[in-house]
Amino acid sequence: LQLIRNEYISAILSFDKALSLDPLNSLALFNKGIANYELGRYEDALFCFNKCISICFSIHNFFITIIKI
């Protein structure tokens, strides 16, 4: 809701809280990337997006491996 209301700083703090509970929360990472992008923090946004992609790719590979077994 904070992201929709353009409350980007508050949103980032909320996403950080979610990530402290679950560091692999790709949705929180993606949304944190959006908030950082909107604030002009492009390097932080890119870091979040790249980490999100890495997590999703790892999960995808995990399930592909399980299916092959």
Side-chain angles (χ1 to χ4, degrees):
L1 192 55
Q2 295 161 325
L3 193 60
I4 294 169
R5 293 182 179 168
N6 300 330
E7 299 170 357
Y8 301 119
I9 300 292
S10 297
I12 289 170
L13 294 173
S14 295
F15 297 134
D16 283 340
K17 175 68 175 172
L19 290 164
S20 73
L21 299 172
D22 179 9
L24 300 179
N25 185 334
S26 58
L27 185 57
L29 274 168
F30 181 77
N31 286 322
K32 183 179 176 182
I34 291 173
N36 276 307
Y37 179 85
E38 292 295 332
L39 290 171
R41 300 175 180 174
Y42 303 118
E43 288 184 27
D44 292 335
L46 186 59
F47 175 82
C48 291
F49 294 141
N50 284 334
K51 190 168 181 182
C52 180
I53 290 168
S54 175
I55 290 168
C56 291
F57 186 71
S58 295
I59 291 170
H60 172 76
N61 283 341
F62 169 78
F63 283 111
I64 295 298
T65 302
I66 293 297
I67 291 170
K68 289 181 181 179
I69 295 176

